[in-house]
């Protein structure tokens, strides 16, 4: 699939930017490729730089309130300073790596409502306000992430929502300044003690850390508090584990420990 956007920079008569993504689908740790084409305006333009960045909508806690904001991360330059003649075309091919910790936006081809990821094209023009445009991409789960999400579905958990929280999980080696929470409603066999289950993946090249939080009451990811359950999944051996049985064991142990069951 090809995404094509045309953006006007530096006001009327200024250069235009055309961004083409060769594909809108990717997995964490993968690469988005494409081409940015600058089209000269009615006069020569002094281009100071062209950049690509990833943006994700996150929840930000501020005191006793929360608000949503676009968080920019993984920014990279794809061109430096140059003069763009009027009516000229200048194309820049690019390869942009997607972080392993990138949030998942789609599962089984369906969007996870509440999570968005986009590639922003930013053009810096002398004597003008920077122009920015955003092309959405679909981040599909790694095989290990898909296996665990499928196991929760097989246990009867129903997807509720997903969002990204600005901040860090205490005790987890985390590269990005935010993390994703995928929320599920429990099936009848767990509903007496569990109101909601939140799943967070912190992925890396060979393994991922999985954080499960039971019936979130706030503050579980701050220093001095323990999350419900935390474990590491090795990609090379993920298919050798009965994850339905393993996850059920985690839930039963946690429920008994907290007096839910």
């Amino acid at each position: 699939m090809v995404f094509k956007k045309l953006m006007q920079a530096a006001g009327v008569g200024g250069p235009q930017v055309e961004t083409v993504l060769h594909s809108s689908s990717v997995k964490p740790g993968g690469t988005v490729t494409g081409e940015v084409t600058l089209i000269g305006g009615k006069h020569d333009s002094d281009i100071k730089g062209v950049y690509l960045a990833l943006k994700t909508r996150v929840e930000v806690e501020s005191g006793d309130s929360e608000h949503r904001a676009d968080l920019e991360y993984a920014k990279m330059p794809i061109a430096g300073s140059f003069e763009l003649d009027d009516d000229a075309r200048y194309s820049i091919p690019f390869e942009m790596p997607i972080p392993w910790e990138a949030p998942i936006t789609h599962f089984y081809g369906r969007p996870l409502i509440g999570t968005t990821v986009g590639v922003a094209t930013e053009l810096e023009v002398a004597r003008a306000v920077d122009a920015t445009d955003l092309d959405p991409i679909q981040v599909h789960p790694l095989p290990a992430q898909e296996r665990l999400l499928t196991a929760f579905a097989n246990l009867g958990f129903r997807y509720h929502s997903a969002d990204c929280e600005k901040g860090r999980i205490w005790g987890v080696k985390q590269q990005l300044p935010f993390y994703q929470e995928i929320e599920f409603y429990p099936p009848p066999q767990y509903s007496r003690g569990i109101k909601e289950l939140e799943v967070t993946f912190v992925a890396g090249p060979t393994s991922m850390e999985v954080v499960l939080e039971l019936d979130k009451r706030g503050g579980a990811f701050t220093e001095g508090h323990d999350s419900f359950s935390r474990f590491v999944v090795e990609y090379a051996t993920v298919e050798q584990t009965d994850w339905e049985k393993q996850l059920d064991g985690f839930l039963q142990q946690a429920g008994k420990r907290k007096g839910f069951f």
Side-chain angles (χ1 to χ4, degrees), residues 4-26:
K4 203 170 185 179
K5 284 286 189 69
L6 195 66
M7 118 179 127
Q8 186 81 26
V12 177
Q16 294 178 320
V17 181
E18 186 181 74
T19 301
V20 175
L21 302 180
H22 294 156
S23 174
S24 63
S25 297
V26 69

Side-chain angles (χ1 to χ4, degrees), residues 8 11-16 39-45 84-88:
Q8 186 81 26
V12 177
Q16 294 178 320
I39 305 169
K42 296 181 179 179
H43 49 77
D44 295 350
S45 300
L84 181 67
D85 296 337
D86 62 305
D87 294 326

Side-chain angles (χ1 to χ4, degrees), residues 221-240:
F221 286 157
T222 58
E223 188 170 355
H225 294 78
D226 292 326
S227 62
F228 150 59
S229 190
R230 185 179 302 177
F231 55 92
V232 174
V233 177
E234 300 288 341
Y235 300 152
T237 59
V238 66
E239 294 299 335
Q240 300 173 16

Side-chain angles (χ1 to χ4, degrees), residues 76-92:
M76 60 177 280
I78 60 172
S81 299
F82 64 95
E83 190 77 14
L84 181 67
D85 296 337
D86 62 305
D87 294 326
R89 295 180 69 91
Y90 182 71
S91 295
I92 311 164

Side-chain angles (χ1 to χ4, degrees), residues 104-107 110-116 149 159 161-162 180 182:
I104 300 167
T105 66
H106 286 70
F107 181 51
R110 299 181 64 181
L112 297 183
I113 304 300
T115 301
T116 60
L149 291 173
Y159 171 74
S161 62
Q180 183 183 34
I182 303 174

Side-chain angles (χ1 to χ4, degrees), residues 20-184:
V20 175
L21 302 180
H22 294 156
S23 174
S24 63
S25 297
V26 69
K27 292 182 179 181
T31 302
V32 170
T33 63
E35 187 173 79
V36 172
T37 299
L38 305 186
I39 305 169
K42 296 181 179 179
H43 49 77
D44 295 350
S45 300
D46 185 7
I47 306 299
K48 293 300 183 182
V50 184
Y51 307 88
L52 292 178
L54 290 178
K55 287 188 176 182
T56 296
R57 195 82 167 157
V58 301
E59 295 283 348
V60 181
E61 290 189 10
S62 178
D64 295 330
S65 63
E66 283 189 348
H67 67 275
R68 303 195 76 188
D70 288 328
L71 180 64
E72 183 177 280
Y73 59 101
K75 188 172 182 177
M76 60 177 280
I78 60 172
S81 299
F82 64 95
E83 190 77 14
L84 181 67
D85 296 337
D86 62 305
D87 294 326
R89 295 180 69 91
Y90 182 71
S91 295
I92 311 164
F94 65 83
E95 294 184 1
M96 186 173 194
I98 303 300
W100 287 99
E101 294 178 17
I104 300 167
T105 66
H106 286 70
F107 181 51
Y108 284 146
R110 299 181 64 181
L112 297 183
I113 304 300
T115 301
T116 60
V117 176
V119 176
T121 306
E122 300 178 358
L123 175 63
E124 184 181 354
V125 184
R127 299 175 300 279
V129 177
D130 292 3
T132 303
D133 194 28
L134 190 68
D135 293 285
I137 60 174
Q138 299 178 8
V139 183
H140 297 269
L142 294 165
Q145 294 170 330
E146 185 174 317
R147 177 67 187 92
L148 265 69
L149 291 173
T150 298
F152 280 115
N154 290 341
L155 287 172
F157 282 86
R158 294 175 291 111
Y159 171 74
H160 173 222
S161 62
D163 63 12
C164 294
E165 303 278 343
K166 186 179 180 182
R168 297 186 178 274
I169 304 172
W170 182 77
V172 173
K173 190 176 181 181
Q174 185 182 336
Q175 301 298 319
L176 297 184
F178 67 93
Y179 54 90
Q180 183 183 34
E181 293 179 332
I182 303 174
E183 303 175 3
F184 294 93

